[in-house]
Amino acid sequence: MTTESPVDIDTGPFRALLEESLTERLAIIEELAPHALPSIDPMAYQTLAANRRAVDEITNALNRIDAGTYGRCARCSGWIAPARLEAVPHAATCIDCSRAAA
């Protein structure tokens, strides 16, 4: 758990990345949805499911930005390292909690 507060996280760039990723994922979902059935195209079905999970994670991250809790771990309430947020902008947990959950 990282307990020190990062230098005020500027959520603007993270919001822009998340919104761009959300738009891309929604376009993929729209394209795949008509034929993404396990019996017709199992690969498209799995890709659709993964993109739906990603949309949920991205939406949750945008909600955390709006709530002012972005950058806080959902499990331990410690700070998520800025480098982790740069690598995974939708991360809801710090690396320690993520490892413990695995």
Side-chain angles (χ1 to χ4, degrees), residues 2 4-11 14 70-71 79-82 85-86:
T2 305
E4 291 183 29
S5 170
V7 178
D8 295 314
I9 296 175
D10 179 8
T11 59
F14 290 109
Y70 185 78
W79 289 102
I80 300 172
L85 292 173
E86 288 175 17

Side-chain angles (χ1 to χ4, degrees), residues 42-57:
M43 184 63 84
Y45 180 76
Q46 291 297 325
T47 303
L48 180 67
N51 277 284
R52 285 183 174 153
R53 282 189 302 275
V55 164
D56 288 343
E57 292 171 357

